[in-house]
Every structure is written in C-alpha cells, then in structure tokens.
C-alpha cells in the first residue's frame, strides 16, 4: 500500500432540508449551514456544495416557477455566501461559491455550488426531473444533476469524473410505505438524463419558465455531457447520491395519545427504552432498503442523531441553563422519524483499488449529522461531508459480469419508461393549471388579478346586455 500515492480528492458537502414552504432566514441558516464539516479539515471548504430542498415555496409559486421562486433561491445563495465568508481562512478569490445550476420540479429543487477556484473543472452538466405527486405533478418529485468534473490533476486520466446528485421528496404518512416504494421505482423509470442536453452556456437558475441563462450570468461550463444514450440514476461510470425528504417513518400507523408519552427526549439514557436508538430499530427505510425493496444498492452512514421530524412548527427545542437541549417538542399526531436522509451508491467491483499508481481510497465520509431545527420548518436539515478520489470510475470491459447488486444495477439498470417525456409534458400542463388556481385563491396578488378579471368580465357582459 505504501508504494501507491494518494490521489487528489474532490470535497463534497451535501445538505437536505424540507423548507416547509417558507423562506429561510439567511443569516440564521448560514450559522449552521457548514457545521457538518469535519473539524480536522476545518481549514478546507468543500469543492462542491449541493442543496436538496423540498417544499421550497408555496404550491402556487413552485408550480408556476419563474420570478415567483427568485427570492426563495436568493435566500439560499445569501446563506451560502455568508457561511463561506465566515469560514476560517476564507479567500474570496478561491473560496467564493458560484452557483453552477439550480432547477426545480414543482416543490422539489436542487442547487449546485462550486468554489471559484474549482469552477473551471466543471466540464459538463446534465439535468433531469420527474413529478411523483398527484397525477405525476411536482407536489412530490425528484430533481437531479449529473456533473462531469475534470480529472486533469491526476495526469493519468483525461476523462471527466461523473457525479450524480438526486434531490427527492417521497409521499408522506405512516401508512404510505408502498406508495414510497412506488415513488422510488417511478423515479428509476422516469427520471432520465438525455444525451447532449445540459448546461453549456453558464450558471443559471432554471425553472419551468426560465430555462435559458441571462446575459449577466458568467459562463462556467465549457461543454455538455459526452453521453451518447439516455440514462437513469444508475450509471456504469457515475457516483450517485440521493438526498431528500424520503418520508420513511418508524411506524405504519399514526401514534395514539398514550404513544406520545413514550416519544424520545434528550434526557433519556441510551439504555432507556424511550431512547431514540430503540425507535431507530423500526426505521422503515433501513429495513426496506436492506430487504431490497427500495433504494436498491444504496448505502447510508450510521445514524447517530435523533429523529429529524416532526417538531411542533415555529418552536425550537427548549434549552436548560447550560444551553443544552432540555425538551424535544414533538408533534403529537406523527411518530418521530428520520424522514430526511442522504444515501450513496457503492462503487462497482471493476473500480480496482489501485489504478494509475494511486492508492485510490475512493470515498471518505467525514460526517453525517442533523443540523439545528430552524424556526420556519418542522424538519431538521441533514448534512454529509465527504471526499472522493478525483478519478473517473472506469468503463467496465466487454463481457464484465456483475459480482454484486451494485454491479448489477450499474450494468443492468431498471428499464426506463419510453413515454417519460410525454408524461412529464402533460404533468407540467397540469401543474400550470393547478398553480394558476392556487395563485388566484391563496395570494393577495392573485386575488387582485382575479377580482380585476371578474370585474372586467362583468363590465363586458353589462355593456353587451345594455346594447340589447
């Protein structure tokens, strides 16, 4: 092992947060945004920062998109700017985060940032999305980005390293386990990256009504993906990270009044049956994933934090004189659960442990933790800090046989639905219709417009009637 040198690494920071349809407070969010970074690497900001955001805005704003979402995205851009600028050793020339891309599928959004010093290494980018909610609309859904990152630093490789990030929001409710499984399989079938499509002109916030970059945006990407055929989330040569509110619970039925008395609290000792570790044994996602019924082939770091959902809205956990949490204020009608998760796909067996003179050590996960509860949501954000070797996953040789489930999923991914594009087109039309109705009835601006239309229609009818 000592004969092989360590390759350069790509630092990645992943965060998932259910925003509760409310705008965040950038200064407060920034205070905790990067708190999952490894303390031993506190002098290093990650190269890539990816945010998975569920319920980013109210339904009307999310479904209509365009400028209605601008302020919600801007708040996160501000939070990233504040958090990074407060980092020890921050150098604006190197560490300032550029927004490479952001887009949403209804209420689920993904934002990808890259450090200014690494921006030129992002060679290609593809996007994909699918609605998983009512009639395939985006009240639940998945938005994805696949990045091609330059490996020139390794000298031995000229092919970009591919990394796929999927932001997802599955069906809610204790009793909806089978529906969540269905969400996963629909995501595999209908979330498709098309060849030759992606961002080639620059960083942008892409919404259903804003898919082109503006003249003020600075080009970051030199070309689109080299992929020659459509592909889903499982890919032979791409890393894969799934992050979002996957909504898996710790029970298949709602809690009773007596159950509430047994909800975990921070004062419980690890040996107490009320301690959250006992509840973790009932976690649906872990049980179903290990049984091969959902998120197939994916892995997760050990959970060492309390449930991230569901807290009473607008309330932070009370604290004692020492500043430590004294009480978790759980909602009575939902079991405390780890809804917010970050999963990753293991590397295939054909990615040899030693390549090109390097001892690859292909993935190092530094931290996986829940961040403090925000006053605007009943979910805690969850973040993971990791580093992967800056080496592309090699293309398997012809005739390569799968030696594991991960190999099989990469070599023989779930079949894509050939009608996915048409289905998404029709779902998008339904989103616009629902969005317009919601905007007209739930916002004061919409009510004013609706009133004006009604008055105008009434005036026309009166004028026409008066002429008879």
């Amino acid at each position: 092992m000592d004969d092989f040198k360590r390759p350069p690494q790509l630092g990645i920071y992943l965060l998932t947060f259910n925003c509760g349809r409310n705008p965040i407070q950038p200064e407060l969010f920034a205070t905790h945004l990067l708190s999952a970074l490894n303390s031993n690497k506190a002098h290093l900001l990650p190269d890539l920062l990816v945010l998975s955001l569920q319920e980013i805005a109210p339904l009307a704003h999310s479904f209509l998109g365009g400028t209605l979402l601008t302020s919600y995205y801007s708040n996160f851009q501000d939070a990233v700017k504040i958090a990074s600028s407060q980092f020890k050793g921050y150098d604006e020339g190197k560490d300032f985060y550029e927004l490479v891309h952001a887009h949403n599928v209804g209420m689920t959004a993904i934002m990808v940032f890259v450090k200014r010093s690494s921006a030129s290494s992002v060679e290609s980018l593809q996007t994909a999305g699918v609605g998983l909610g009512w009639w395939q609309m985006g009240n639940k859904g998945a938005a994805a980005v696949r990045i091609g990152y330059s490996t020139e630093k390794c000298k031995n490789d000229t092919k970009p390293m591919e990394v796929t990030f999927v932001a997802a929001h599955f069906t809610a409710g204790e009793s909806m386990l089978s529906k969540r499984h269905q969400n996963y399989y629909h995501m595999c079938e209908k979330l498709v990256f098309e060849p030759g499509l992606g961002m080639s002109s620059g960083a942008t916030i892409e919404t259903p009504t804003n898919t082109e970059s503006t003249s003020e945006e600075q080009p970051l990407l030199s070309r689109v993906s080299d992929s020659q055929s459509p592909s889903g989330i499982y890919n032979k040569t791409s890393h894969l990270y799934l992050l979002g509110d996957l909504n898996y619970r710790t029970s298949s039925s709602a809690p009773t009044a007596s159950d509430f008395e047994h909800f975990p609290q921070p004062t419980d000792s690890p040996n107490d049956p009320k301690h959250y570790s006992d509840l973790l044994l009932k976690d649906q996602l872990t049980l179903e994933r290990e049984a091969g019924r959902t998120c197939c082939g994916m892995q997760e770091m050990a959970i060492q934090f309390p449930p991230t959902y569901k807290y009473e809205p607008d309330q932070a956990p009370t604290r004692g004189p020492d500043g430590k949490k004294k009480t978790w204020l759980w909602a009575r009608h939902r079991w405390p659960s780890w809804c917010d998760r970050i999963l990753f796909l293991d590397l295939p067996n054909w990615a040899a442990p030693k390549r090109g003179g390097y001892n690859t050590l292909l993935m190092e996960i530094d931290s996986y933790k829940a961040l403090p509860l925000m006053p605007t949501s009943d979910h805690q954000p969850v973040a993971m800090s990791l580093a992967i070797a800056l080496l592309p996953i090699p293309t398997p040789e012809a005739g390569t046989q799968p030696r594991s489930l991960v190999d099989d999923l990469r070599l023989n991914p779930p079949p894509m639905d050939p009608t996915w594009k048409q289905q998404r087109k029709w779902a998008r039309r339904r989103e616009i219709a629902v969005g317009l109705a919601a905007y007209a009835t739930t916002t004061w601006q919409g009510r004013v417009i609706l009133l004006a239309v009604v008055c105008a229609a009434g005036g026309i009818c009166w004028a026409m009637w008066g002429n008879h």
Side-chain angles (χ1 to χ4, degrees):
M1 295 288 287
D2 293 336
D3 294 334
F4 291 85
K5 56 187 177 180
R6 185 188 186 92
Q9 291 185 310
L10 178 70
I12 300 175
Y13 193 85
L14 307 175
L15 183 144
T16 178
F17 180 48
N18 186 312
C19 308
R21 309 188 186 196
N22 295 311
I24 62 165
Q25 301 170 18
E27 294 81 6
L28 176 61
F29 199 84
T31 302
H32 305 289
L33 174 59
L34 297 174
S35 60
L37 287 177
N38 189 332
S39 59
N40 295 325
K41 298 180 179 179
H43 62 291
L44 295 175
L45 281 168
D47 301 288
L48 294 178
L49 192 156
V50 181
L51 305 182
S52 167
L53 307 170
Q54 310 85 48
E55 298 188 5
I56 185 175
L59 185 143
H61 297 64
S62 300
F63 275 17
L64 295 178
T67 57
L68 293 176
L69 280 180
T70 300
S71 64
Y72 293 89
Y73 280 126
S74 296
N75 284 338
F76 283 101
Q77 288 181 270
D78 291 343
V80 169
K81 182 178 180 179
I82 294 168
S84 57
S85 64
Q86 294 175 346
F87 206 72
K88 184 178 180 181
Y90 173 77
D91 181 342
E92 185 173 355
K94 296 179 180 179
D95 296 330
F96 181 84
Y97 278 105
E98 305 275 6
L99 176 64
V100 174
H101 185 75
H103 81 279
N104 69 299
V105 174
M107 302 175 77
T108 303
I110 187 168
M111 301 182 76
V112 181
F113 297 85
V114 61
K115 278 200 305 189
R116 179 171 285 167
S117 58
S118 304
S120 61
S121 296
V122 181
E123 295 191 359
S124 63
L125 188 148
Q126 290 177 288
T127 64
V130 61
L132 300 172
W134 318 308
W135 301 288
Q136 298 187 35
M137 289 190 292
N139 55 303
K140 297 292 187 288
V145 171
R146 177 168 289 157
I147 285 176
Y149 197 91
S150 171
T151 57
E152 289 183 358
K153 291 181 181 179
C154 292
K155 307 301 181 184
N156 301 65
D157 286 289
T158 57
K159 177 184 176 183
M161 177 179 68
E162 291 186 339
V163 190
T164 302
F165 303 104
V166 181
H169 193 189
F170 289 175
T171 300
E174 276 86 357
S175 63
M176 303 300 285
L177 178 62
S178 61
K179 183 65 175 177
R180 286 187 278 277
H181 290 358
Q182 188 179 71
N183 291 161
Y184 162 72
Y185 287 108
H186 282 179
M187 183 176 70
C188 291
E189 295 169 354
K190 304 177 192 297
L191 192 150
V192 179
F193 296 93
E194 289 191 279
L197 295 183
M199 290 300 302
S200 59
S201 58
T204 184
I205 294 178
E206 178 183 324
T207 72
T209 57
N210 173 26
T211 57
E212 300 296 332
S213 57
T214 65
S215 59
E216 290 86 12
E217 291 158 347
Q218 298 300 313
L220 292 181
L221 309 181
S222 58
R223 60 183 175 85
V224 297
S225 173
D226 289 333
S227 175
Q228 297 301 309
S229 59
S231 62
I233 63 172
Y234 292 101
N235 184 276
K236 296 183 180 69
T237 59
S238 179
H239 294 271
L240 172 61
Y241 299 93
L242 172 64
L243 52 159
D245 178 2
L246 304 184
N247 253 322
Y248 284 92
R249 307 302 174 89
T250 53
S251 175
S252 58
S253 59
T256 64
S258 60
D259 288 330
F260 179 76
E261 303 302 321
H262 300 283
F263 284 7
Q265 290 296 334
T267 53
D268 299 334
S269 72
N271 297 323
D272 190 327
K274 286 176 57 181
H275 190 265
Y276 70 79
S277 58
D278 188 67
L279 199 59
L280 184 58
L281 297 176
K282 305 171 185 177
D283 173 60
Q284 291 177 343
L285 179 56
T286 301
L287 295 173
E288 297 298 304
R289 179 176 57 80
E290 291 179 349
R293 290 187 283 266
T294 190
C295 301
C296 299
M298 296 188 192
Q299 302 296 318
E300 182 178 24
M301 286 295 289
I303 293 177
Q304 298 179 335
F305 48 84
T308 60
Y309 173 87
K310 172 180 173 72
Y311 294 92
E312 287 289 352
D314 300 322
Q315 297 185 66
T318 58
R319 297 178 182 271
D322 59 357
K324 294 183 178 180
K325 292 179 182 178
K326 187 178 179 181
T327 306
W328 289 323
L329 302 177
W330 302 111
R332 291 174 175 268
H333 64 292
R334 291 284 182 250
W335 278 98
S337 298
W338 289 264
C339 291
D340 310 278
R341 311 290 276 269
I342 303 177
L343 309 180
F344 58 91
L345 186 66
D346 267 348
L347 293 154
N349 281 294
W350 63 78
K354 296 178 181 179
R355 287 188 286 117
Y358 287 113
N359 169 16
T360 57
L361 297 173
L362 284 169
M363 187 183 303
E364 295 179 359
I365 298 178
D366 296 322
S367 176
Y368 183 40
K369 63 187 292 186
L371 309 187
L373 185 69
M374 300 292 154
T376 54
S377 176
D378 51 9
H379 289 251
Q380 286 180 282
V382 171
M384 186 166 78
S385 175
L386 67 145
I388 53 178
L390 201 52
L391 295 169
I393 297 175
T395 302
E397 296 179 358
T400 297
Q401 296 298 312
R403 295 166 53 192
S404 67
L405 175 60
V406 172
D407 286 6
D408 191 39
L409 286 165
R410 289 178 179 276
L411 291 169
N412 306 295
M416 291 175 285
D417 185 338
T419 66
W420 69 270
K421 186 181 292 187
Q422 188 66 20
Q423 290 187 43
R424 181 61 199 146
K425 180 179 178 181
W426 282 105
R428 180 65 198 129
R429 292 176 178 175
R430 291 190 286 269
E431 287 174 358
I432 293 173
V434 172
L436 288 171
Y439 189 78
T441 57
T442 63
T443 69
W444 70 264
Q445 299 97 326
R447 294 189 188 105
V448 169
I449 295 172
L450 180 61
L451 179 61
V453 171
V454 171
C455 290
I460 293 172
C461 290
W462 181 83
M464 293 176 64
W465 183 265
N467 291 330
H468 286 283

